[in-house]
Amino acid sequence: EAYEDFESRKHTMAPSLSPIKSHHVAVIGAGAAGLVAARELRREGHSVVVFERQKQVGGTWIYTDHVEPDPLSVDPTRPIVHSSVYGSLRTNLPRECMGYRDFPFVIRSGESRDPRRFPSHREVLAYLQDFAKEFGIEEMIRFETAVERVAPATESDGEAGNMKWRVESTEKEKKVRRDEIYDAVVVCNGHYIEPRLAEIPGISSWPGKEMHSHNYRIPEPFKDQVVVLIGNSASAVDISRDIAGSAKEVHVACRSNAADTFIKQSGYSNLWMHSMIERVHEDGSVVFQNGKIISADVIMHCTGYKYHLPFLDTNGIVTVDDNRVGPLYKDVFPPALAPWLSFIGIPWKVVPFPMYEFQSKWLAGVLSGRIMLPSKDDMMKEVKSFYATLEAQGIPKRYTHQMGFTQFEYNNWLASQCGCSGTEEWRKEMYLTTGVRRREYPETYRDEWEDHHLVSQAYQDFSLYTQ
Ligand code: FAD
């Protein structure tokens, strides 16, 4: 029975052989989303150009020592450093769970490879490089080429009517400019670049240093300092522990903690959890809601990022409003411009790579006309009703693209559209189990685990692609 399941999966995940209509498609970005989008689009028979402003594939996984000159990254004219990855970063998902479905993230031999289940960022980059090589994706990429502007070149002529896009790009530090026309544009520019900041009463006259975790790399510069981190995301958990090894004191302030929260982190002599900062003062002091007052050198915002689409000009059809990119049908297509404009990689709190793979298969099939979309009106109705549900549940707009548990239902819906199998049970369970362990054992979950049965199920599935 299991063998038959693998056989049918192998079949359904194979490239489609007969595209109904092939299009000329621009993909913006060669990170995890752009790479798999390019592969699926080409598999479906489309001609693809990938624009990538960096020198290599991998997006946010390309670690660099460089940081932006503006430590808060608020100056719009600053030179952009794309990566938000810090030196000590190890994945927060196990590799089996994280990889694309038909290119498993298995241990590969090689000098600088990291065989751990929760490997370092270098291993993820190496995996994405392997993926690009395996599927010959680099030949579709124009490196060191930034997309400056994307705008409709023609109006969409009716329900199924084609439209064209003008894509303006510059290569090698603006030396070569191009202005080209494409049938479709797929936006895969990532959303961990443009920082969100916490509002702190009194901050304009506070004398210490402020920065965002986007510009954090290593703990040494914080030696003997008193550091306050704001946030409770994966980065705040990791960075607070990373810095605690060098800093004099580390204090983590978190909006979602109860007002009286004040906890010394077990296993550390210099790490405390607090409620949110109430106010900061000219004398360098930081007052927490729990009444504690400290004198701090640095405040680091580990408060996440904003969607940012500076190149996209849709005459107001697609907007970013309180971190909602909308309107988007199924987080991929703006109804009025579908399928000629699309987004891969918008959802968060998800297992990204396999989800991007599902989204890309769907997108590629829709573009060729093999998979049908509802009418523009029906898509818009569904988007509006989704927004109304969020509002009725009191969920702020900025959580529109947060998925968590619902991601598997979403993936399975995409899979049903594409005629392929949905999320594997082991992957779902592994994600859920890891989440629980990460919260309970933040120090050890990467090196100790109990889900051996899920690992062996994963490797059974992988044997289809690795032998
Ligand atoms: P990116 O990787 O950001 O790629 C976008 C690409 O677009 C970049 O290469 C960029 O140069 C290019 N680009 C942008 N604008 C332009 C333009 N105008 N013109 C041309 N090119 C452009 N995920 C996991 O699965 N496991 C983890 O453990 C994990 N840890 C993470 C830790 C951190 C600190 C961060 C920030 C993210 C983490 N993620 C993790 C999520 C990670 O973002 C995704 O795994 C994934 O890499 C996102 O891929 P992407 O292609 O959407 O974006």
Side-chain angles (χ1 to χ4, degrees):
E1 202 182 291
Y3 178 72
E4 267 174 28
D5 183 40
F6 291 153
E7 272 306 289
S8 65
R9 190 176 303 170
K10 187 174 182 178
H11 180 69
T12 52
M13 294 188 71
S16 159
L17 298 175
S18 52
I20 295 175
K21 196 142 197 257
S22 146
H23 293 287
H24 190 39
V25 186
V27 172
I28 304 172
L35 291 175
V36 73
R39 186 192 69 172
E40 294 301 328
L41 286 161
R42 189 172 59 185
R43 274 184 168 175
E44 186 80 20
H46 302 292
S47 74
V48 183
V49 175
V50 182
F51 293 84
E52 172 50 62
R53 68 178 168 204
Q54 302 192 77
K55 283 185 187 153
Q56 52 169 316
V57 303
T60 202
W61 295 101
I62 307 170
Y63 174 81
T64 164
D65 292 337
H66 295 294
V67 291
E68 294 176 5
D70 165 13
L72 275 177
S73 299
V74 284
D75 176 359
T77 63
R78 71 193 186 278
I80 302 282
V81 173
H82 187 83
S83 187
S84 297
V85 157
Y86 33 92
S88 65
L89 186 136
R90 289 174 65 187
T91 65
N92 55 21
L93 289 173
R95 60 192 308 147
E96 305 87 28
C97 186
M98 220 180 119
Y100 298 114
R101 284 161 37 104
D102 63 0
F103 189 72
F105 190 6
V106 291
I107 299 164
R108 280 160 210 269
S109 54
E111 242 177 55
S112 53
R113 301 306 291 244
D114 179 351
R116 291 175 295 180
R117 253 194 109 193
F118 295 76
S120 78
H121 55 82
R122 285 175 208 85
E123 177 69 8
V124 184
L125 179 62
Y127 166 74
L128 290 173
Q129 289 166 340
D130 289 343
F131 178 82
K133 197 165 166 212
E134 174 78 14
F135 296 100
I137 296 170
E138 290 207 353
E139 66 199 40
M140 293 184 265
I141 306 177
R142 289 192 200 149
F143 287 107
E144 293 184 89
T145 305
V147 170
E148 309 283 357
R149 187 163 179 268
V150 170
T154 58
E155 298 282 316
S156 169
D157 54 354
E159 188 59 46
N162 290 12
M163 62 180 295
K164 302 269 182 201
W165 290 90
R166 180 176 299 281
V167 175
E168 294 172 26
S169 62
T170 57
E171 195 176 333
K172 297 226 171 20
E173 311 207 323
K174 301 195 189 283
K175 286 202 186 93
V176 184
R177 286 178 184 272
R178 285 203 192 88
D179 185 345
E180 297 164 307
I181 301 294
Y182 288 85
D183 298 324
V185 173
V186 183
V187 178
C188 307
N189 69 326
H191 45 87
Y192 296 105
I193 314 138
E194 193 69 15
R196 280 172 75 87
L197 300 176
E199 279 171 29
I200 307 172
I203 196 70
S204 57
S205 48
W206 185 72
K209 177 182 171 185
E210 264 195 291
M211 62 181 292
H212 189 277
S213 56
H214 177 59
N215 297 309
Y216 173 72
R217 295 293 182 266
I218 48 170
E220 285 73 16
F222 302 91
K223 190 164 167 31
D224 300 331
Q225 301 206 330
V226 176
V227 183
V228 177
L229 271 79
I230 305 174
N232 70 342
S233 62
S235 333
V237 173
D238 280 355
I239 297 173
S240 58
R241 282 145 176 89
D242 209 18
I243 290 186
S246 297
K248 185 169 159 205
E249 293 173 16
V250 180
H251 299 265
V252 180
C254 176
R255 196 172 47 178
S256 57
N257 283 347
D260 60 351
T261 304
F262 179 60
I263 304 167
K264 186 164 190 190
Q265 188 62 43
S266 67
Y268 293 86
S269 59
N270 62 346
L271 175 56
W272 290 269
M273 303 293 145
H274 296 260
S275 42
M276 192 47 189
I277 297 172
E278 188 171 274
R279 177 159 203 100
V280 293
H281 293 279
E282 278 174 24
D283 62 0
S285 62
V286 174
V287 183
F288 297 92
Q289 282 170 352
N290 59 15
K292 302 286 169 199
I293 304 173
I294 58 157
S295 183
D297 301 296
V298 181
I299 294 180
M300 188 189 301
H301 297 248
C302 302
T303 37
Y305 296 86
K306 296 189 270 197
Y307 294 93
H308 191 49
L309 303 163
F311 49 81
L312 189 61
D313 179 0
T314 58
N315 290 322
I317 294 177
V318 181
T319 59
V320 184
D321 176 13
D322 191 16
N323 231 21
R324 168 186 288 171
V325 182
L328 286 187
Y329 176 65
K330 304 286 184 194
D331 282 299
V332 174
F333 293 113
L337 303 170
W340 312 112
L341 179 67
S342 57
F343 296 80
I344 300 296
I346 293 284
W348 54 277
K349 225 180 190 178
V350 299
V351 185
F353 298 7
M355 175 180 286
Y356 301 168
E357 195 176 350
F358 282 124
Q359 290 184 321
S360 301
K361 278 185 195 300
W362 183 46
L363 158 68
V366 166
L367 265 181
S368 72
R370 188 171 57 77
I371 302 172
M372 299 307 290
L373 282 180
S375 71
K376 292 182 193 301
D377 278 354
D378 285 350
M379 287 191 278
M380 200 59 208
K381 267 189 211 140
E382 186 175 317
V383 176
K384 282 189 176 154
S385 119
F386 173 58
Y387 292 167
T389 313
L390 293 180
E391 208 174 326
Q393 293 171 347
I395 298 173
K397 266 188 196 168
R398 63 179 184 279
Y399 292 112
T400 301
H401 307 295
Q402 174 184 268
M403 284 200 178
F405 295 123
T406 60
Q407 68 180 299
F408 302 110
E409 206 181 303
Y410 172 76
N411 287 345
N412 291 347
W413 183 87
L414 293 171
S416 73
Q417 297 297 300
C418 303
C420 66
S421 57
T423 301
E424 308 88 330
E425 247 342 275
W426 61 259
R427 198 187 296 264
K428 182 173 158 185
E429 264 188 65
M430 205 180 263
Y431 171 80
L432 299 174
T433 313
T434 303
V436 172
R437 289 187 64 83
R438 185 168 51 232
R439 281 185 293 279
E440 278 182 26
Y441 311 106
E443 332 289 337
T444 56
Y445 78 95
R446 291 186 174 95
D447 296 305
E448 293 167 16
W449 53 82
E450 287 156 1
D451 57 349
H452 304 282
H453 62 296
L454 299 176
V455 178
S456 82
Q457 283 168 30
Y459 274 85
Q460 255 179 42
D461 263 17
F462 294 167
S463 63
L464 181 64
Y465 306 107
T466 50
Q467 280 170 7

